[in-house]
């Protein structure tokens, strides 16, 4: 541990020195000295020097805007660099653990190798393992939810700095090479300093799509096939002499360009461009893989080839005679290289057509691939020929990974989900039915009558809606969306879009409406209709809605055509904003159990889709632990979960950290398959009753403040930087669903983001203390019972431990500084309540865990937060000072400059706290 901290400190010291030199070069010694003064005062204040705190506050309040900008920029850049250093230290630690595990002859924890060992130790036979593999499915889904505060340009520069750090840390450079690397580091830091950290305007959806594809291009396209192969190797080590065909169990999805719920900029045209961009990117990546294989399969014709490969080569030559002639001249007597050259030519022809706007179900260009399966067939011919002619090792090496890339990514790269609010479908169906004379006043009908009409229309056969120019714009767009899905299936494949998520699902009719529209477009049989249950009330009624849906004859027929498979999405964000941290987590847990039982009874294969965010208040925290904390019966080897905003960068920009994250998820999902029907011992001992009572107490406390105290909304609007966050150009989607000031209409992301910036982190803990202390009181037996639940029940342990992280990142002293922005009445109505509950929650957690301080069980995280705080504090202080100036004179001559520094401080604080949204 000490050695690791020393190495990290050395690297941070190097980066800090280079940043300091850059500040002197770019801004002058005076500003460097100012930044150092602010830093020293902040550290002293954190160390208990109250006078230093007063001087710090006085100093930052008097800063000219330009000086404030430079100081905030310095601290923000510092955290960006520190985060890179910490990532590299995590890689160093992972490598050390891997070596240590290998020396001890055991697999490293939370890896695929560890999962394979567990399968054998639990006594699973090879036949049982193969059956288990056949049901394994994991899909992380990238979303454009705006919590990534850094620009793509900044991310690229940080990526180059990371590459230099990797060379310094892991390639044993000579002194001269190390000196040159440090020079390159300094150059990149200067470029980072001279680049605006905030966007001048909101990104378009097309830009978000391109940003979302970045990690496929740099990390995932090559990594995912390796993870798949690693599972196969791990199983074969545990079961010598057995062969396991590992399916492409790990795939990726995306909402970027498909999620139109509340985002008016995601149109059918944008969705088509997104699918075209996905296909073009996939084709370019396949071509890149073939280029890398270019000189590898150079074996001589004399070794022989299969007849099928020779016939295929001849057929390709007839299609591209000039290309075939060039390949034969360039690679004489090298049939494999000739074949791959022609495969590359067909990919190029496919790419040329892929970027063009779609014509209605147009035929593919001659000589191109109509589908990824055709590319796969060509590559398998090469593989089979190698295997038949002493090339088994070659067939199972780099070529096998390329085949795996095609199987996993196809021509779609990532499956695009469509999401839309249930109101939009209801509105379209009402207009379509009314215009056809079938249903006047549909919107006001009771649920049963809606279901009956929709069922009759679906059972009649394929629905038909005539094209009418007098349909409303919204209805025309909804119909065009389903036609876009049909064209996407024709041009890219059915994996391009296979799920349609219905936000705010309240009844079975919400799903039947989508099924009717999909049926009219001819895509119903290739589309999963996915209900999304978000609010506390919706989670409670979800089982009844799904049960009614399964009993519906029209939907039952759809289920049969979808192999009796049903994805169901549960939302962490709005449930938390609606009911608070403890109640949201408990209701999500109960809903998962009930939905799993319901699907078992109906012989339906359930895939739960977890709408998690990066912060604890939106379902975040360590993913592996979160999976193991779910009801075992709700996973069973199938998992879909969102990856959002800054968590995408944190988890996937570094190849080794991406591998670790994905292996942790896969390990956890595999372990859930070992206990699919198990009941947690803590549940059997009455844990459910305890949590239900805790939830009632927490809900009452949370709603009392957030929903029933009018001053709370005023406090949120004035004592947090929500107004600045609403104007932060980090996403195409508006911060509010509608133009209102209500908490209900505010999206969960800015709700969490603003509370985090002001160091309250309310969504990650508020109500927990009221619940724990209210239930246990001074009854030692009850506190011991809570301690036992924390020890024995993964769900409760994860709930409490994630709250510890939120509490440790909070700081009520800093929150008090933000509270000074509110009027006295509002401040006095809210801040004492927040403070009392914070202290109550901290005491309760320490009492039930037996710890002396929060996060005692994770000292590395405890230390990291403690070390970071003095560097975050100045940005908080400056942000508050500038918000006060800006609000005093919002249209003043320096208001634009003030806003720019406030937005920069948002970036800096986000970098310092990390999982902010």
């Amino acid at each position: 541990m000490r050695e690791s901290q020393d190495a990290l400190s050395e690297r941070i010291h190097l980066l800090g020195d280079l940043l300091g030199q850059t500040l002197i070069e770019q801004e002058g010694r005076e500003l460097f000295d100012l930044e150092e003064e602010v830093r020293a005062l902040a550290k002293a204040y954190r160390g208990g020097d109250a006078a230093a705190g007063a001087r710090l506050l006085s100093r930052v309040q008097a800063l000219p805007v330009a000086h404030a900008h430079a100081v905030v920029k310095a601290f923000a850049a510092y955290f960006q660099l520190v985060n890179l250093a910490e990532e590299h230290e995590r890689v160093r630690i992972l490598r050390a653990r891997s070596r240590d595990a290998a020396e001890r002859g055991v697999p490293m924890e939370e890896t695929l190798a560890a999962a394979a060992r567990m399968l054998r130790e639990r006594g699973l036979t090879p036949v049982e393992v193969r059956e288990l593999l056949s049901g394994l499915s994991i899909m992380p889904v990238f979303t454009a939810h705006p919590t990534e505060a850094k620009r793509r340009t900044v991310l690229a520069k940080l990526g180059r700095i990371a590459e230099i750090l990797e060379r310094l840390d892991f390639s044993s450079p000579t002194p001269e090479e190390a000196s040159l690397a440090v020079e390159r580091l300094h150059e990149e830091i200067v470029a980072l300093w001279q680049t605006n950290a905030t966007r001048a305007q909101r990104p378009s959806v097309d830009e978000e799509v391109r940003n979302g594809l970045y990690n496929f291009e740099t990390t995932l396209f090559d990594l995912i096939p390796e993870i798949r192969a690693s599972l196969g190797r791990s199983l074969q080590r545990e079961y010598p002499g057995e062969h396991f065909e590992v399916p492409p169990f790990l795939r990726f999805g995306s909402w970027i360009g498909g999620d139109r719920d509340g985002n008016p900029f995601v149109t059918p045209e944008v969705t088509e461009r997104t699918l075209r961009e996905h296909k073009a990117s996939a084709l370019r990546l396949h071509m890149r893989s073939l280029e890398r294989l270019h000189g590898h399969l150079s074996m001589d014709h004399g070794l022989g080839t299969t007849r099928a490969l020779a016939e295929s080569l001849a057929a390709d030559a007839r299609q591209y005679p000039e290309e075939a002639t060039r390949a034969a001249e360039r690679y004489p007597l090298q049939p494999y290289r000739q074949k791959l050259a022609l495969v590359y030519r067909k990919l190029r022809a496919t790419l040329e057509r892929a970027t063009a706007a779609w014509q209605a179900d147009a035929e593919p260009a001659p000589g191109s691939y109509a589908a990824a399966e055709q590319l796969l067939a060509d590559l398998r011919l090469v593989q089979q020929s190698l295997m038949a002619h002493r090339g088994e090792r070659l067939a199972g090496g780099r070529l096998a990974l390329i085949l795996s890339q095609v199987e996993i990514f196809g021509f779609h790269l990532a499956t695009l989900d469509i999401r839309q609010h249930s109101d939009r479908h209801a509105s379209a169906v009402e207009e379509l039915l009314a215009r056809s004379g079938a249903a006047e006043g549909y919107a006001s009908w009771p649920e049963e009558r809606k279901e009956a009409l929709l069922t009759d229309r679906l059972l009649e056969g394929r629905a038909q809606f005539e094209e009418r120019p007098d349909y409303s714009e919204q209805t025309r767009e909804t119909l065009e969306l389903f036609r876009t899905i049909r064209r996407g299936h024709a041009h890219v494949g059915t994996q391009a879009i296979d799920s349609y998520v219905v936000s705010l699902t309240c009844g079975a009719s919400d799903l039947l409406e989508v099924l009717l529209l999909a049926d009219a477009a001819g895509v119903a049989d290739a589309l999963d209709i996915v209900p999304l249950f978000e609010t506390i009330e919706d989670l409670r009624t979800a089982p009844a809605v799904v049960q009614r849906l399964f009993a519906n004859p029209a939907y039952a027929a759809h289920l049969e055509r979808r192999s009796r498979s049903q994805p169901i999405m549960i939302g962490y964000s709005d449930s938390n904003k609606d009911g608070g941290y403890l109640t949201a987590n408990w209701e999500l847990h109960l809903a998962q159990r009930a939905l799993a039982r319901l699907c078992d009874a109906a012989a339906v294969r359930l895939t739960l889709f977890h709408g998690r965010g990066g912060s604890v208040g939106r379902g975040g925290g360590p993913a592996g632990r979160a999976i193991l904390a779910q009801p075992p019966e709700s996973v069973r080897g199938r998992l879909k979960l969102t990856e959002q905003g800054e968590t995408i960068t944190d988890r996937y920009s570094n190849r080794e950290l991406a591998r670790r994250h994905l292996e942790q998820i896969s390990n956890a999902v595999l372990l859930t398959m070992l206990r699919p029907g198990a009941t947690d011992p803590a549940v059997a001992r009455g844990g459910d009753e305890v949590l239900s009572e805790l939830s009632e107490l927490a809900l009452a406390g949370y709603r009392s403040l957030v929903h029933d105290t009018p001053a709370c909304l005023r406090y949120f609007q004035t004592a947090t930087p929500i107004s600045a966050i609403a104007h932060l150009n980090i996403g195409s989607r508006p911060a509010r669903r509608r133009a209102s000031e209500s908490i209900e209409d505010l999206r969960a992301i800015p709700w969490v983001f603003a509370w985090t910036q002001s160091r309250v982190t309310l969504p990650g803990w508020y109500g927990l203390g009221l619940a724990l202390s209210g239930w246990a009181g001074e009854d030692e037996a009850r506190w011991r019972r809570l301690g036992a639940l924390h020890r024995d029940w993964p769900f409760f342990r994860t709930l409490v431990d994630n709250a510890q992280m939120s509490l440790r990142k909070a700081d009520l002293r800093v929150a008090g500084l933000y509270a000074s922005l509110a009027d006295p009445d509002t401040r006095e109505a809210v801040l004492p309540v927040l403070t009392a509950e914070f202290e109550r929650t901290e005491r309760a957690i320490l009492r039930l865990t037996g710890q002396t301080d929060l996060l005692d069980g994770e000292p590395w995280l405890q230390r990291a937060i403690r070390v970071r705080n003095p560097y975050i504090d100045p940005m908080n202080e400056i942000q508050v000072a500038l918000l006060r100036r800006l609000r005093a004179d919002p249209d003043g001559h320096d208001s634009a400059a003030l806003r720019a520094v406030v937005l920069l401080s948002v970036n800096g604080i986000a970098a310092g706290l990390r999982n902010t949204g």
Side-chain angles (χ1 to χ4, degrees), residues 209-351:
V209 170
R210 288 191 290 274
N211 290 349
L213 296 178
Y214 175 77
N215 287 301
F216 290 96
E217 298 161 359
T218 57
T219 305
L220 296 173
F221 193 76
D222 292 328
L223 176 61
I224 304 307
E226 292 178 8
I227 291 176
R228 178 188 181 189
S230 176
L231 178 55
R233 289 192 300 271
S234 298
L235 289 169
Q236 284 164 345
R237 278 196 299 270
E238 299 299 328
Y239 296 88
E242 297 288 342
H243 178 71
F244 297 93
E245 287 289 342
V246 178
F249 69 93
L250 182 57
R251 300 177 185 269
F252 275 76
S254 177
W255 275 16
I256 311 172
D259 179 13
R260 57 227 326 112
D261 179 13
N263 190 340
F265 306 112
V266 181
T267 63
E269 294 75 21
V270 165
T271 297
E272 179 185 319
R273 289 201 300 271
T274 299
L275 293 172
R276 295 206 317 260
E277 188 67 35
H278 277 213
K279 183 174 182 178
S281 183
L283 291 167
R284 284 191 290 265
L285 289 168
H286 290 312
M287 292 168 73
R288 185 183 75 182
S289 293
L290 288 181
E291 288 167 359
R292 293 172 177 174
L293 198 67
H294 175 73
H296 186 52
L297 300 183
S298 56
M299 46 288 319
D300 191 272
H301 186 272
L303 290 171
T305 61
T306 60
R307 180 176 178 179
L309 179 64
E311 291 175 350
S312 170
L313 192 53
D316 289 345
R318 289 192 293 273
Q319 189 74 245
Y320 291 110
E322 293 182 4
E323 190 75 25
T325 299
R326 280 196 299 271
E329 291 173 350
R330 188 174 182 184
Y331 312 122
L333 302 178
Q334 297 178 57
Y336 296 110
R337 295 181 81 179
Q338 291 177 26
K339 175 62 181 176
L340 292 178
L342 291 167
V343 168
Y344 189 91
R345 179 65 185 86
K346 286 192 277 188
L347 280 171
R348 196 168 74 220
T350 311
L351 178 59

Side-chain angles (χ1 to χ4, degrees), residues 21 160 198 203 256 352 484 690 730 749 848:
Q21 292 174 38
R160 287 193 290 274
T198 56
I256 311 172
E352 289 165 0
T484 300
V690 174
I730 58 177
I749 291 168
L848 77 89

Side-chain angles (χ1 to χ4, degrees), residues 704-715:
S704 174
L705 173 67
V706 173
H707 293 280
D708 299 335
T709 302
C712 184
L713 181 57
R714 295 197 304 274
Y715 184 94

Side-chain angles (χ1 to χ4, degrees), residues 578-601:
D578 181 31
Y581 176 67
L582 192 154
T583 299
N585 278 278
W586 182 234
E587 292 295 341
L588 286 158
H589 195 82
L590 291 176
Q592 290 177 72
R593 277 200 220 154
L595 290 168
R597 288 194 298 267
L598 178 63
C599 289
D600 281 349

